[in-house]
Amino acid sequence: QICLSLVKLLFYLAHSPLGSIVLLDFQPRQFVMVDGNLKVTDMDDASTEELSCKEDNDCTLEFPTKSFPLKCSAVGKCEGINEKKNLFNAYRYFFTYLLPHSAPPALRPLLSDILNATGDLRYGINETVKAFEKVLHLYKSGLYLQKRPLILKDYISLKGFRTVEGEEYKCWPSYSHLGCLLSIHSAEEAAAICNSQSQCQSFIVTQQRTWTGRPLASFQSSWTDLIPDTNAVVYIKHSAFSGERL
């Protein structure tokens, strides 16, 4: 969410009515999230000036660990230097820390492609926005899910119940530091996640939604203490349910 919001902001800056705008003091502390959107808190160090040049050798974009040769345009300006400076700063201050984590395994190669392409400045801001929107579409639609045998049939579902808090175990990445709360596309995906975790005996699908509209599921190591909850459905492994009854 943070990275997508950032590239949309950089897309606007690259195509603003004033021309391409560069953020000269590009630091995480200069941004704030407002209603799920990233906004710049200080525009004092923004500029529309692009570096003047006489030849391509005048257009090297330099960073502490990398430098990039750019072209000198016919009007004597370094082509796209403001856009590329913003984009590489987004890569080194945001993408490198946020993109490798938390995504479903099937989407990680696509995020790695974005990371590598922006880190080498092979993508401009237009290509970066398109790449992020493709990942978002796959994530929201569930198209990233691989074909596999149906697992949910191995679970018993009880509508209108949830387990008592206190039986949770912790996992990564979780929306709650107290337990294992993950976003899912469907109960089928939740069943696959539960099967992959040795502690998991049951999971609860709630009506809570993430910013993409995906429901949240709470994964549990026990299911015996059930309480009524009209907004939840608890799914219990057949093996755990039968064992408890015995």
Side-chain angles (χ1 to χ4, degrees):
Q1 181 180 14
I2 293 171
C3 292
L4 176 64
S5 187
L6 177 58
V7 297
K8 287 182 176 180
L9 172 62
L10 297 188
F11 180 86
Y12 173 78
L13 294 179
H15 301 285
S16 84
L18 300 175
S20 183
I21 298 174
V22 63
L23 301 176
L24 298 175
D25 186 19
F26 197 115
Q27 300 282 342
R29 65 173 179 267
Q30 300 283 23
F31 299 89
V32 64
M33 290 292 285
V34 180
D35 297 328
N37 294 307
L38 205 67
K39 296 184 181 294
V40 184
T41 60
D42 185 0
M43 292 293 289
D44 289 345
D45 294 311
S47 174
T48 58
E49 291 294 320
E50 292 197 307
L51 187 64
S52 298
C53 57
K54 293 183 179 179
E55 56 184 25
D56 291 349
N57 288 338
D58 297 329
C59 292
T60 300
L61 182 57
E62 295 186 352
F63 294 95
T65 59
K66 277 190 176 183
S67 61
F68 301 94
L70 304 181
K71 296 290 186 182
C72 183
S73 70
V75 295
K77 297 290 183 181
C78 296
E79 288 185 357
I81 192 168
N82 287 352
E83 172 187 330
K84 293 180 185 297
K85 188 171 185 178
N86 284 341
L87 190 55
F88 189 80
N89 278 328
Y91 158 81
R92 67 179 181 141
Y93 287 118
F94 287 89
F95 299 170
T96 54
Y97 297 104
L98 299 177
L99 287 188
H101 311 291
S102 304
L107 292 178
R108 288 174 193 167
L110 296 178
L111 294 177
S112 292
D113 288 344
I114 294 174
L115 192 64
N116 293 331
T118 52
D120 294 335
L121 287 184
R122 287 183 285 110
Y123 280 1
I125 191 61
N126 293 357
E127 294 87 352
T128 304
V129 169
K130 288 179 182 178
F132 268 103
E133 288 180 340
K134 176 183 177 181
V135 174
L136 179 64
H137 172 67
L138 294 173
Y139 185 61
K140 292 174 68 173
S141 65
L143 291 173
Y144 67 90
L145 294 170
Q146 299 172 347
K147 297 290 184 181
R148 64 178 75 188
L150 296 179
I151 299 173
L152 197 60
K153 60 182 175 55
D154 298 328
Y155 287 76
I156 295 168
S157 66
L158 299 174
K159 295 182 179 180
F161 290 94
R162 64 176 174 84
T163 57
V164 177
E165 293 182 4
E167 297 294 340
E168 300 95 338
Y169 60 90
K170 296 179 181 180
C171 68
W172 172 262
S174 175
Y175 281 82
S176 168
H177 69 281
L178 298 176
C180 187
L181 187 66
L182 304 174
S183 78
I184 57 170
H185 177 259
S186 63
E188 185 66 44
E189 183 182 17
I193 293 172
C194 188
N195 276 15
S196 71
Q197 298 175 345
S198 59
Q199 309 100 309
C200 187
Q201 295 297 315
S202 65
F203 62 89
I204 305 158
V205 178
T206 71
Q207 292 194 357
Q208 290 178 274
R209 293 290 188 270
T210 68
W211 66 282
T212 59
R214 287 162 57 99
L216 291 175
S218 177
F219 296 85
Q220 312 283 325
S221 59
S222 176
W223 65 271
T224 51
D225 296 322
L226 297 179
I227 58 175
D229 186 339
T230 57
N231 296 321
V233 182
V234 62
Y235 293 83
I236 306 164
K237 284 182 177 179
H238 274 293
S239 56
F241 189 77
S242 300
E244 193 67 36
R245 290 183 59 125
L246 289 174

